[in-house]
PDB file of all heavy atoms in Angstrom:
ATOM      1  N   ARG A   1     116.334 -82.833 156.152  1.00  0.00           N
ATOM      2  CA  ARG A   1     116.619 -81.263 156.289  1.00  0.00           C
ATOM      3  C   ARG A   1     115.449 -80.563 155.637  1.00  0.00           C
ATOM      4  O   ARG A   1     114.882 -79.481 156.031  1.00  0.00           O
ATOM      5  CB  ARG A   1     117.820 -80.921 155.575  1.00  0.00           C
ATOM      6  CG  ARG A   1     118.210 -79.433 155.669  1.00  0.00           C
ATOM      7  CD  ARG A   1     118.235 -78.847 157.039  1.00  0.00           C
ATOM      8  NE  ARG A   1     119.197 -79.485 157.885  1.00  0.00           N
ATOM      9  CZ  ARG A   1     120.438 -78.990 158.054  1.00  0.00           C
ATOM     10  NH1 ARG A   1     120.842 -77.867 157.358  1.00  0.00           N
ATOM     11  NH2 ARG A   1     121.370 -79.600 158.771  1.00  0.00           N
ATOM     12  N   MET A   2     114.850 -81.017 154.440  1.00  0.00           N
ATOM     13  CA  MET A   2     113.770 -80.436 153.909  1.00  0.00           C
ATOM     14  C   MET A   2     112.549 -80.429 154.763  1.00  0.00           C
ATOM     15  O   MET A   2     111.767 -79.401 154.950  1.00  0.00           O
ATOM     16  CB  MET A   2     113.360 -80.985 152.492  1.00  0.00           C
ATOM     17  CG  MET A   2     114.495 -80.969 151.390  1.00  0.00           C
ATOM     18  SD  MET A   2     113.952 -81.873 149.953  1.00  0.00           S
ATOM     19  CE  MET A   2     115.347 -81.444 148.872  1.00  0.00           C
ATOM     20  N   ARG A   3     112.274 -81.536 155.389  1.00  0.00           N
ATOM     21  CA  ARG A   3     111.160 -81.660 156.347  1.00  0.00           C
ATOM     22  C   ARG A   3     111.303 -80.774 157.434  1.00  0.00           C
ATOM     23  O   ARG A   3     110.359 -80.045 157.930  1.00  0.00           O
ATOM     24  CB  ARG A   3     111.005 -83.082 156.859  1.00  0.00           C
ATOM     25  CG  ARG A   3     109.921 -83.419 157.772  1.00  0.00           C
ATOM     26  CD  ARG A   3     109.826 -84.857 158.105  1.00  0.00           C
ATOM     27  NE  ARG A   3     108.708 -85.106 158.967  1.00  0.00           N
ATOM     28  CZ  ARG A   3     108.704 -85.078 160.267  1.00  0.00           C
ATOM     29  NH1 ARG A   3     109.913 -84.778 160.853  1.00  0.00           N
ATOM     30  NH2 ARG A   3     107.664 -85.260 161.045  1.00  0.00           N
ATOM     31  N   GLU A   4     112.585 -80.624 157.926  1.00  0.00           N
ATOM     32  CA  GLU A   4     112.857 -79.743 159.093  1.00  0.00           C
ATOM     33  C   GLU A   4     112.487 -78.269 158.692  1.00  0.00           C
ATOM     34  O   GLU A   4     111.888 -77.438 159.540  1.00  0.00           O
ATOM     35  CB  GLU A   4     114.251 -79.875 159.422  1.00  0.00           C
ATOM     36  CG  GLU A   4     114.700 -78.852 160.666  1.00  0.00           C
ATOM     37  CD  GLU A   4     116.232 -78.938 160.887  1.00  0.00           C
ATOM     38  OE1 GLU A   4     116.808 -79.947 160.566  1.00  0.00           O
ATOM     39  OE2 GLU A   4     116.824 -78.041 161.439  1.00  0.00           O
ATOM     40  N   LYS A   5     112.914 -77.763 157.518  1.00  0.00           N
ATOM     41  CA  LYS A   5     112.719 -76.539 157.029  1.00  0.00           C
ATOM     42  C   LYS A   5     111.090 -76.353 156.899  1.00  0.00           C
ATOM     43  O   LYS A   5     110.620 -75.114 157.190  1.00  0.00           O
ATOM     44  CB  LYS A   5     113.390 -76.135 155.783  1.00  0.00           C
ATOM     45  CG  LYS A   5     114.937 -76.226 155.755  1.00  0.00           C
ATOM     46  CD  LYS A   5     115.353 -75.085 156.736  1.00  0.00           C
ATOM     47  CE  LYS A   5     116.880 -75.080 156.784  1.00  0.00           C
ATOM     48  NZ  LYS A   5     117.360 -73.907 157.746  1.00  0.00           N
ATOM     49  N   HIS A   6     110.408 -77.193 156.361  1.00  0.00           N
ATOM     50  CA  HIS A   6     109.038 -77.168 156.242  1.00  0.00           C
ATOM     51  C   HIS A   6     108.237 -77.014 157.443  1.00  0.00           C
ATOM     52  O   HIS A   6     107.417 -76.065 157.632  1.00  0.00           O
ATOM     53  CB  HIS A   6     108.561 -78.376 155.408  1.00  0.00           C
ATOM     54  CG  HIS A   6     107.084 -78.377 155.129  1.00  0.00           C
ATOM     55  ND1 HIS A   6     106.492 -77.542 154.118  1.00  0.00           N
ATOM     56  CD2 HIS A   6     106.044 -79.001 155.686  1.00  0.00           C
ATOM     57  CE1 HIS A   6     105.241 -77.747 154.015  1.00  0.00           C
ATOM     58  NE2 HIS A   6     104.879 -78.560 154.960  1.00  0.00           N
ATOM     59  N   LEU A   7     108.738 -77.706 158.506  1.00  0.00           N
ATOM     60  CA  LEU A   7     108.182 -77.570 159.755  1.00  0.00           C
ATOM     61  C   LEU A   7     108.421 -76.174 160.431  1.00  0.00           C
ATOM     62  O   LEU A   7     107.676 -75.731 161.339  1.00  0.00           O
ATOM     63  CB  LEU A   7     108.682 -78.610 160.824  1.00  0.00           C
ATOM     64  CG  LEU A   7     108.212 -80.045 160.416  1.00  0.00           C
ATOM     65  CD1 LEU A   7     108.817 -81.048 161.330  1.00  0.00           C
ATOM     66  CD2 LEU A   7     106.730 -80.061 160.394  1.00  0.00           C
ATOM     67  N   GLN A   8     109.457 -75.566 160.004  1.00  0.00           N
ATOM     68  CA  GLN A   8     109.952 -74.214 160.483  1.00  0.00           C
ATOM     69  C   GLN A   8     109.105 -73.115 159.797  1.00  0.00           C
ATOM     70  O   GLN A   8     109.147 -71.950 160.177  1.00  0.00           O
ATOM     71  CB  GLN A   8     111.356 -74.023 160.344  1.00  0.00           C
ATOM     72  CG  GLN A   8     112.346 -74.842 161.123  1.00  0.00           C
ATOM     73  CD  GLN A   8     113.719 -74.564 160.856  1.00  0.00           C
ATOM     74  OE1 GLN A   8     114.101 -73.772 159.983  1.00  0.00           O
ATOM     75  NE2 GLN A   8     114.656 -75.206 161.573  1.00  0.00           N
ATOM     76  N   GLY A   9     108.237 -73.488 158.868  1.00  0.00           N
ATOM     77  CA  GLY A   9     107.301 -72.499 158.230  1.00  0.00           C
ATOM     78  C   GLY A   9     107.710 -72.128 156.793  1.00  0.00           C
ATOM     79  O   GLY A   9     106.986 -71.334 156.164  1.00  0.00           O
ATOM     80  N   PHE A  10     108.737 -72.755 156.297  1.00  0.00           N
ATOM     81  CA  PHE A  10     109.189 -72.546 154.828  1.00  0.00           C
ATOM     82  C   PHE A  10     108.026 -73.141 153.950  1.00  0.00           C
ATOM     83  O   PHE A  10     107.619 -74.172 154.152  1.00  0.00           O
ATOM     84  CB  PHE A  10     110.590 -72.990 154.502  1.00  0.00           C
ATOM     85  CG  PHE A  10     111.633 -72.332 155.156  1.00  0.00           C
ATOM     86  CD1 PHE A  10     112.032 -72.500 156.567  1.00  0.00           C
ATOM     87  CD2 PHE A  10     112.390 -71.456 154.500  1.00  0.00           C
ATOM     88  CE1 PHE A  10     113.001 -71.759 157.167  1.00  0.00           C
ATOM     89  CE2 PHE A  10     113.455 -70.637 154.995  1.00  0.00           C
ATOM     90  CZ  PHE A  10     113.688 -70.971 156.338  1.00  0.00           C
ATOM     91  N   SER A  11     107.885 -72.538 152.756  1.00  0.00           N
ATOM     92  CA  SER A  11     107.088 -73.160 151.848  1.00  0.00           C
ATOM     93  C   SER A  11     107.798 -74.339 151.110  1.00  0.00           C
ATOM     94  O   SER A  11     108.940 -74.491 151.429  1.00  0.00           O
ATOM     95  CB  SER A  11     106.779 -72.182 150.615  1.00  0.00           C
ATOM     96  OG  SER A  11     107.977 -71.628 150.035  1.00  0.00           O
ATOM     97  N   ASP A  12     107.167 -75.074 150.368  1.00  0.00           N
ATOM     98  CA  ASP A  12     107.841 -76.286 149.754  1.00  0.00           C
ATOM     99  C   ASP A  12     109.052 -75.830 148.902  1.00  0.00           C
ATOM    100  O   ASP A  12     110.171 -76.547 149.022  1.00  0.00           O
ATOM    101  CB  ASP A  12     106.926 -77.006 148.872  1.00  0.00           C
ATOM    102  CG  ASP A  12     105.790 -77.732 149.722  1.00  0.00           C
ATOM    103  OD1 ASP A  12     105.955 -77.792 150.977  1.00  0.00           O
ATOM    104  OD2 ASP A  12     104.669 -78.136 149.233  1.00  0.00           O
ATOM    105  N   ASP A  13     108.876 -74.948 148.047  1.00  0.00           N
ATOM    106  CA  ASP A  13     109.856 -74.502 147.201  1.00  0.00           C
ATOM    107  C   ASP A  13     111.133 -73.935 147.997  1.00  0.00           C
ATOM    108  O   ASP A  13     112.368 -74.136 147.709  1.00  0.00           O
ATOM    109  CB  ASP A  13     109.446 -73.431 146.269  1.00  0.00           C
ATOM    110  CG  ASP A  13     108.435 -73.918 145.182  1.00  0.00           C
ATOM    111  OD1 ASP A  13     108.516 -75.252 145.055  1.00  0.00           O
ATOM    112  OD2 ASP A  13     107.720 -73.250 144.548  1.00  0.00           O
ATOM    113  N   GLU A  14     110.843 -73.082 148.972  1.00  0.00           N
ATOM    114  CA  GLU A  14     111.757 -72.526 149.957  1.00  0.00           C
ATOM    115  C   GLU A  14     112.530 -73.445 150.651  1.00  0.00           C
ATOM    116  O   GLU A  14     113.789 -73.523 150.934  1.00  0.00           O
ATOM    117  CB  GLU A  14     111.199 -71.490 150.823  1.00  0.00           C
ATOM    118  CG  GLU A  14     110.664 -70.211 150.050  1.00  0.00           C
ATOM    119  CD  GLU A  14     110.000 -69.268 151.018  1.00  0.00           C
ATOM    120  OE1 GLU A  14     109.519 -69.752 152.177  1.00  0.00           O
ATOM    121  OE2 GLU A  14     109.808 -68.143 150.771  1.00  0.00           O
ATOM    122  N   ALA A  15     111.809 -74.591 151.200  1.00  0.00           N
ATOM    123  CA  ALA A  15     112.466 -75.656 152.005  1.00  0.00           C
ATOM    124  C   ALA A  15     113.414 -76.408 151.051  1.00  0.00           C
ATOM    125  O   ALA A  15     114.552 -76.763 151.504  1.00  0.00           O
ATOM    126  CB  ALA A  15     111.306 -76.589 152.452  1.00  0.00           C
ATOM    127  N   ILE A  16     112.979 -76.795 149.803  1.00  0.00           N
ATOM    128  CA  ILE A  16     113.909 -77.432 148.905  1.00  0.00           C
ATOM    129  C   ILE A  16     115.093 -76.662 148.574  1.00  0.00           C
ATOM    130  O   ILE A  16     116.253 -77.208 148.681  1.00  0.00           O
ATOM    131  CB  ILE A  16     113.114 -77.813 147.607  1.00  0.00           C
ATOM    132  CG1 ILE A  16     111.982 -78.843 147.955  1.00  0.00           C
ATOM    133  CG2 ILE A  16     114.087 -78.434 146.599  1.00  0.00           C
ATOM    134  CD1 ILE A  16     111.154 -79.167 146.848  1.00  0.00           C
ATOM    135  N   GLU A  17     114.899 -75.435 148.203  1.00  0.00           N
ATOM    136  CA  GLU A  17     116.058 -74.545 147.784  1.00  0.00           C
ATOM    137  C   GLU A  17     116.990 -74.283 148.860  1.00  0.00           C
ATOM    138  O   GLU A  17     118.255 -74.433 148.803  1.00  0.00           O
ATOM    139  CB  GLU A  17     115.504 -73.089 147.303  1.00  0.00           C
ATOM    140  CG  GLU A  17     116.574 -72.188 146.786  1.00  0.00           C
ATOM    141  CD  GLU A  17     115.952 -70.844 146.358  1.00  0.00           C
ATOM    142  OE1 GLU A  17     114.702 -70.827 146.272  1.00  0.00           O
ATOM    143  OE2 GLU A  17     116.810 -70.009 146.068  1.00  0.00           O
ATOM    144  N   THR A  18     116.475 -74.025 150.042  1.00  0.00           N
ATOM    145  CA  THR A  18     117.339 -73.693 151.325  1.00  0.00           C
ATOM    146  C   THR A  18     118.133 -75.048 151.661  1.00  0.00           C
ATOM    147  O   THR A  18     119.324 -74.961 151.997  1.00  0.00           O
ATOM    148  CB  THR A  18     116.569 -73.195 152.478  1.00  0.00           C
ATOM    149  OG1 THR A  18     115.722 -72.107 152.160  1.00  0.00           O
ATOM    150  CG2 THR A  18     117.410 -72.912 153.613  1.00  0.00           C
ATOM    151  N   SER A  19     117.346 -76.141 151.742  1.00  0.00           N
ATOM    152  CA  SER A  19     118.033 -77.372 152.133  1.00  0.00           C
ATOM    153  C   SER A  19     119.080 -77.774 151.054  1.00  0.00           C
ATOM    154  O   SER A  19     120.241 -78.218 151.553  1.00  0.00           O
ATOM    155  CB  SER A  19     116.997 -78.572 152.141  1.00  0.00           C
ATOM    156  OG  SER A  19     116.021 -78.229 153.155  1.00  0.00           O
ATOM    157  N   MET A  20     118.878 -77.562 149.822  1.00  0.00           N
ATOM    158  CA  MET A  20     119.901 -77.947 148.755  1.00  0.00           C
ATOM    159  C   MET A  20     121.166 -77.040 148.984  1.00  0.00           C
ATOM    160  O   MET A  20     122.383 -77.603 148.860  1.00  0.00           O
ATOM    161  CB  MET A  20     119.315 -77.748 147.372  1.00  0.00           C
ATOM    162  CG  MET A  20     118.280 -78.808 147.075  1.00  0.00           C
ATOM    163  SD  MET A  20     119.078 -80.442 146.795  1.00  0.00           S
ATOM    164  CE  MET A  20     119.914 -80.084 145.166  1.00  0.00           C
ATOM    165  N   ARG A  21     120.890 -75.831 149.238  1.00  0.00           N
ATOM    166  CA  ARG A  21     121.939 -74.849 149.367  1.00  0.00           C
ATOM    167  C   ARG A  21     122.826 -75.198 150.703  1.00  0.00           C
ATOM    168  O   ARG A  21     124.079 -75.072 150.628  1.00  0.00           O
ATOM    169  CB  ARG A  21     121.398 -73.383 149.368  1.00  0.00           C
ATOM    170  CG  ARG A  21     122.608 -72.390 149.461  1.00  0.00           C
ATOM    171  CD  ARG A  21     122.060 -70.960 149.313  1.00  0.00           C
ATOM    172  NE  ARG A  21     121.055 -70.575 150.419  1.00  0.00           N
ATOM    173  CZ  ARG A  21     119.763 -70.489 150.205  1.00  0.00           C
ATOM    174  NH1 ARG A  21     119.257 -70.700 148.950  1.00  0.00           N
ATOM    175  NH2 ARG A  21     118.941 -70.181 151.166  1.00  0.00           N
ATOM    176  N   GLU A  22     122.130 -75.570 151.780  1.00  0.00           N
ATOM    177  CA  GLU A  22     122.922 -75.758 153.037  1.00  0.00           C
ATOM    178  C   GLU A  22     123.493 -77.220 153.016  1.00  0.00           C
ATOM    179  O   GLU A  22     124.676 -77.352 153.557  1.00  0.00           O
ATOM    180  CB  GLU A  22     121.928 -75.666 154.191  1.00  0.00           C
ATOM    181  CG  GLU A  22     121.465 -74.239 154.410  1.00  0.00           C
ATOM    182  CD  GLU A  22     120.428 -74.303 155.548  1.00  0.00           C
ATOM    183  OE1 GLU A  22     120.098 -75.296 156.107  1.00  0.00           O
ATOM    184  OE2 GLU A  22     119.909 -73.116 155.872  1.00  0.00           O
ATOM    185  N   ILE A  23     122.871 -78.130 152.352  1.00  0.00           N
ATOM    186  CA  ILE A  23     123.291 -79.540 152.498  1.00  0.00           C
ATOM    187  C   ILE A  23     124.413 -79.927 151.371  1.00  0.00           C
ATOM    188  O   ILE A  23     125.238 -80.720 151.534  1.00  0.00           O
ATOM    189  CB  ILE A  23     122.107 -80.493 152.400  1.00  0.00           C
ATOM    190  CG1 ILE A  23     121.238 -80.334 153.631  1.00  0.00           C
ATOM    191  CG2 ILE A  23     122.610 -82.023 152.349  1.00  0.00           C
ATOM    192  CD1 ILE A  23     121.915 -80.654 154.969  1.00  0.00           C
ATOM    193  N   PHE A  24     124.288 -79.239 150.277  1.00  0.00           N
ATOM    194  CA  PHE A  24     125.218 -79.647 149.171  1.00  0.00           C
ATOM    195  C   PHE A  24     126.675 -79.529 149.522  1.00  0.00           C
ATOM    196  O   PHE A  24     127.443 -80.610 149.199  1.00  0.00           O
ATOM    197  CB  PHE A  24     124.958 -78.576 147.974  1.00  0.00           C
ATOM    198  CG  PHE A  24     125.825 -78.943 146.721  1.00  0.00           C
ATOM    199  CD1 PHE A  24     125.563 -80.019 145.905  1.00  0.00           C
ATOM    200  CD2 PHE A  24     126.979 -78.124 146.446  1.00  0.00           C
ATOM    201  CE1 PHE A  24     126.237 -80.267 144.819  1.00  0.00           C
ATOM    202  CE2 PHE A  24     127.764 -78.377 145.423  1.00  0.00           C
ATOM    203  CZ  PHE A  24     127.383 -79.529 144.559  1.00  0.00           C
ATOM    204  N   PRO A  25     127.190 -78.615 150.259  1.00  0.00           N
ATOM    205  CA  PRO A  25     128.632 -78.711 150.630  1.00  0.00           C
ATOM    206  C   PRO A  25     128.937 -79.816 151.602  1.00  0.00           C
ATOM    207  O   PRO A  25     130.033 -80.500 151.391  1.00  0.00           O
ATOM    208  CB  PRO A  25     128.873 -77.391 151.302  1.00  0.00           C
ATOM    209  CG  PRO A  25     127.842 -76.467 150.836  1.00  0.00           C
ATOM    210  CD  PRO A  25     126.606 -77.317 150.712  1.00  0.00           C
ATOM    211  N   VAL A  26     128.028 -80.198 152.449  1.00  0.00           N
ATOM    212  CA  VAL A  26     128.182 -81.391 153.336  1.00  0.00           C
ATOM    213  C   VAL A  26     128.256 -82.636 152.585  1.00  0.00           C
ATOM    214  O   VAL A  26     129.120 -83.516 152.722  1.00  0.00           O
ATOM    215  CB  VAL A  26     127.127 -81.405 154.412  1.00  0.00           C
ATOM    216  CG1 VAL A  26     127.284 -82.507 155.394  1.00  0.00           C
ATOM    217  CG2 VAL A  26     127.158 -80.046 155.185  1.00  0.00           C
ATOM    218  N   ILE A  27     127.252 -82.889 151.670  1.00  0.00           N
ATOM    219  CA  ILE A  27     127.169 -84.069 150.861  1.00  0.00           C
ATOM    220  C   ILE A  27     128.442 -84.187 149.978  1.00  0.00           C
ATOM    221  O   ILE A  27     129.011 -85.352 149.809  1.00  0.00           O
ATOM    222  CB  ILE A  27     125.877 -84.123 150.071  1.00  0.00           C
ATOM    223  CG1 ILE A  27     124.600 -84.244 151.046  1.00  0.00           C
ATOM    224  CG2 ILE A  27     125.876 -85.244 149.055  1.00  0.00           C
ATOM    225  CD1 ILE A  27     123.341 -84.236 150.214  1.00  0.00           C
ATOM    226  N   SER A  28     128.806 -83.053 149.389  1.00  0.00           N
ATOM    227  CA  SER A  28     129.960 -83.137 148.529  1.00  0.00           C
ATOM    228  C   SER A  28     131.187 -83.526 149.270  1.00  0.00           C
ATOM    229  O   SER A  28     132.040 -84.313 148.796  1.00  0.00           O
ATOM    230  CB  SER A  28     130.097 -81.776 147.832  1.00  0.00           C
ATOM    231  OG  SER A  28     129.049 -81.395 147.089  1.00  0.00           O
ATOM    232  N   ALA A  29     131.405 -82.934 150.469  1.00  0.00           N
ATOM    233  CA  ALA A  29     132.604 -83.287 151.303  1.00  0.00           C
ATOM    234  C   ALA A  29     132.541 -84.774 151.708  1.00  0.00           C
ATOM    235  O   ALA A  29     133.615 -85.336 151.677  1.00  0.00           O
ATOM    236  CB  ALA A  29     132.531 -82.320 152.551  1.00  0.00           C
ATOM    237  N   GLY A  30     131.334 -85.291 152.022  1.00  0.00           N
ATOM    238  CA  GLY A  30     131.283 -86.691 152.480  1.00  0.00           C
ATOM    239  C   GLY A  30     131.669 -87.576 151.207  1.00  0.00           C
ATOM    240  O   GLY A  30     132.325 -88.559 151.392  1.00  0.00           O
ATOM    241  N   ALA A  31     131.223 -87.094 149.940  1.00  0.00           N
ATOM    242  CA  ALA A  31     131.500 -87.906 148.861  1.00  0.00           C
ATOM    243  C   ALA A  31     132.939 -87.964 148.517  1.00  0.00           C
ATOM    244  O   ALA A  31     133.586 -89.062 148.188  1.00  0.00           O
ATOM    245  CB  ALA A  31     130.723 -87.411 147.588  1.00  0.00           C
TER     246      ALA A  31
END
């Protein structure tokens, strides 16, 4: 997801922050 955001033009910090925010609920639900 971070790589996907980076390819969309996000900076490294933005890609990490956005990915964490979007993926955290999914990962938590899976756990």
Side-chain angles (χ1 to χ4, degrees):
R1 179 56 63 91
M2 292 178 181
R3 182 174 180 272
E4 178 184 335
K5 293 297 182 182
H6 183 73
L7 293 177
Q8 291 176 358
F10 288 80
S11 65
D12 292 344
D13 292 339
E14 290 174 340
I16 294 174
E17 182 181 351
T18 305
S19 300
M20 289 290 290
R21 185 172 60 251
E22 294 179 356
I23 294 298
F24 181 76
V26 179
I27 293 179
S28 299

